[in-house]
Amino acid sequence: PLALEELRMLVELFYLPYHHGPQAQHLLEHLRWLQANSPSVGVPAPNGCGGTQWHGRAQSFRLLCAQTCRLHSRFVRSAGRELLYDLHPYLWDIRNMLLAASAFVLWLGCQSIAAPVLLGGDAEPWAHRGGLFGELQALLPVGNSSDLFYHPPPLFPSGQRYVLRPLLPSDQVSAGTGGRPSSGAPGLWQQLSPGPAPAGRLLGSFLSLSPEYTFVLEDESGPCGYAAGALCAEEFLQQRDSSWLPATRHKYPQDLGVGGPALGQEALLFFHAEPPAVPLPVLRRFPSLVQLGTDPRVLDTGAARSLAICLLSVLRANGSRGVFCQVSAADRQQLSFYSKLG
């Protein structure tokens, strides 16, 4: 059964329509302060220990987020069915929002660039929902994108726990050497590697040219999802075609897959085919490129939405005003994935 502290947290998350309990207030206060005082947006520290204070509060915020995500998992596994189906939609919404917010704060602490975090600004009343969810939504840079935040909860609640975080240097070392963490799921870790794995061929350029906009979703079995982006798609595509692709083609020559499995040959053909050009009007109107995906074992659409919200938030925080993705018309799996994201 739930512990007393977990019950208290559950009550404080949904205290009254316009009032929150202490735990929920701490979440909002931490997120507001962290955005306003982030070292990555060029805010001068009031004293010599400003960076230490920021990282301390970031750690406290992420701990509260982790506790809430753990509460969601424990509630699903221990609550009675009637109570579960009554409260789960609200707790699931908060869990998804905090997955994205926690990764966004972790990303802010990793950056050395100076760029303004653009808040959502004024929005129509219907763009924001009420309660703690709505207040957290308004604090993220893509808070006014209401369609992104509206998604029905799953019919069958799952207690699966997820962690969403930026790509770490250790991830790139493991991927580059063909290895993976001992707890990792080999299927997705191969996708995160720069070799000719099915999705890795799409991610390799992001890992090499834009690692600061790459995020990893993990469950209890290891990596199970990714989100990658390029702030300036025009510059990114030029670098991909002029330097990354030639180096990759040299590393994986076209005759390497002769006599091998069909999947490997298909990946090699992908590297050696000329990538489709992106029309200039698209690049002007939607200057950033994104790529997202999850392992088939991720059945919870909320986790995929958290990936999208986090990636779009960090791009928006650095001034992007629109994004696009490239999907093959024959790739039904990716088309279905993006359709479910809205």
Side-chain angles (χ1 to χ4, degrees):
L2 294 176
L4 180 60
E5 285 301 314
E6 292 172 318
L7 286 173
R8 182 176 287 115
M9 178 186 287
L10 183 64
V11 171
E12 291 179 358
L13 289 173
F14 311 104
Y15 194 66
L16 287 172
Y18 298 101
H19 298 279
H20 309 300
Q23 297 260 34
Q25 285 287 6
H26 289 327
L27 280 168
L28 291 171
E29 290 167 5
H30 281 320
L31 186 54
R32 288 193 190 102
W33 188 90
L34 290 166
Q35 283 208 142
N37 297 276
S38 169
S40 69
V41 296
V43 178
N47 49 55
C49 62
T52 304
Q53 182 185 7
W54 192 92
H55 286 286
R57 291 196 67 161
Q59 179 68 18
S60 299
F61 175 76
R62 289 169 47 223
L63 182 61
L64 280 173
C65 292
Q67 289 173 345
T68 308
C69 293
R70 185 165 57 247
L71 169 63
H72 167 266
S73 178
R74 298 255 296 134
F75 182 76
V76 169
R77 290 169 177 164
S78 59
R81 294 292 96 180
E82 185 175 353
L83 183 62
L84 171 62
Y85 279 94
D86 276 345
L87 294 185
H88 178 259
Y90 305 100
L91 196 54
W92 182 75
D93 270 342
I94 294 295
R95 190 278 310 254
N96 296 337
M97 182 63 68
L98 291 182
L99 277 176
S102 178
F104 177 65
V105 165
L106 188 57
W107 176 85
L108 280 178
C110 296
Q111 300 307 301
S112 58
I113 52 179
V117 172
L118 305 174
L119 299 180
D122 295 332
E124 296 294 337
W126 49 263
H128 289 156
R129 291 160 53 183
L132 178 62
F133 180 95
E135 293 196 45
L136 288 168
Q137 173 190 341
L139 289 174
L140 290 177
V142 289
N144 288 343
S145 305
S146 57
D147 291 347
L148 189 63
F149 293 89
Y150 176 75
H151 44 288
L155 292 176
F156 303 102
S158 167
Q160 178 67 57
R161 287 177 59 187
Y162 294 98
V163 173
L164 177 56
R165 58 172 177 79
L167 187 76
L168 302 175
S170 57
D171 296 322
Q172 292 176 279
V173 170
S174 298
T177 57
R180 62 177 188 274
S182 57
S183 62
L188 190 103
W189 201 252
Q190 289 170 2
Q191 294 179 11
L192 287 174
S193 71
R201 59 184 190 243
L202 300 176
L203 274 180
S205 54
F206 289 100
L207 292 172
S208 299
L209 304 175
S210 186
E212 66 273 21
Y213 295 105
T214 305
F215 292 85
V216 179
L217 180 71
E218 295 178 314
D219 62 11
E220 293 163 357
S221 299
C224 60
Y226 65 87
L231 182 64
C232 179
E234 187 172 7
E235 181 181 335
F236 172 84
L237 294 174
Q238 288 174 354
Q239 290 182 347
R240 182 198 67 182
D241 296 344
S242 63
S243 60
W244 182 82
L245 263 180
T248 305
R249 288 167 178 167
H250 178 74
K251 186 175 181 180
Y252 301 103
Q254 195 163 357
D255 58 0
L256 186 67
V258 174
L263 193 60
Q265 294 178 32
E266 179 191 344
L268 289 169
L269 287 174
F270 174 88
F271 283 138
H272 289 272
E274 286 301 318
V278 180
L280 200 57
V282 172
L283 292 170
R284 292 290 182 262
R285 185 176 179 186
F286 307 101
S288 302
L289 174 65
V290 298
Q291 176 78 33
L292 298 96
T294 57
D295 193 277
R297 72 177 185 271
V298 180
L299 303 177
D300 189 340
T301 57
R305 293 262 180 168
S306 298
L307 269 172
I309 290 169
C310 183
L311 177 60
L312 295 180
S313 289
V314 301
L315 291 170
R316 173 70 173 156
N318 274 348
S320 177
R321 61 185 184 276
V323 303
F324 71 96
C325 57
Q326 290 181 294
V327 188
S328 166
D331 193 342
R332 294 186 178 182
Q333 184 177 358
Q334 278 290 90
L335 289 171
S336 173
F337 175 80
Y338 286 116
S339 297
K340 288 177 182 176
L341 285 179

